[in-house]
Amino acid sequence: MIRVVGIRTRAAIIRNRRITGLTPDVIAELVAKIDPLWHERHQAVLASRPRSRAVGTGAKHKLVFVDRLMAALMHLRHGATHDMVACWFGVDRSTITELFGLSSGGAGSCSLRYALREGEA
């Protein structure tokens, strides 16, 4: 397994309010509220389309949910381009573009934006 953002780096990002604009308590609350919604939606999208392979096979996410949330918060807070956020997290720009649901196709339909919208309800 490739670890894109290490535990220490993730902890430093969460601790520093200037990076995300949120306190660690608020981030923990967001993760607790949105993570189950995101995973549920992601599994529903995977199960709903015709498949040539079993669910769970194929490419895995390069960023875990917490890293996806941190990337989104950093992008929104600083107005950084997808290229810059991708560089910070050591992934390709297309990974960040998919995260924000801007790509065409099924992958964008289970974006973090959807989970955030569901979390408001």
Side-chain angles (χ1 to χ4, degrees):
M1 181 175 117
I2 298 172
R3 185 183 309 163
V4 177
V5 176
I7 294 170
R8 289 183 188 159
T9 304
R10 186 180 304 121
I13 291 170
I14 291 172
R15 272 195 315 269
N16 193 337
R17 186 176 179 168
R18 289 182 359 184
I19 295 174
T20 63
L22 300 174
T23 64
D25 293 336
V26 172
I27 293 171
E29 193 176 311
L30 273 174
V31 169
K33 187 174 184 181
I34 296 171
D35 188 32
L37 292 171
W38 185 85
H39 283 292
E40 180 183 316
R41 174 69 178 154
H42 179 67
Q43 291 303 316
V45 167
L46 288 177
S48 69
R49 62 183 179 183
R51 307 192 58 85
S52 58
R53 290 183 270 183
V55 173
T57 59
K60 305 293 182 227
H61 289 295
K62 291 189 172 123
L63 295 176
V64 295
F65 178 76
V66 176
D67 294 339
R68 290 171 161 257
L69 181 62
M70 293 301 105
L73 291 172
M74 292 166 69
H75 170 71
L76 294 170
R77 169 98 170 151
H78 300 288
T81 64
H82 293 186
D83 289 319
M84 177 145 317
V85 176
C87 183
W88 290 338
F89 282 85
V91 296
D92 190 72
R93 181 190 47 79
S94 62
T95 302
I96 300 300
T97 301
E98 180 269 328
L99 164 68
F100 294 113
L102 299 176
S103 62
S104 59
S109 64
C110 88
S111 68
L112 183 62
R113 191 180 332 176
Y114 178 85
L116 288 170
R117 246 192 344 259
E118 287 294 307
E120 292 173 358

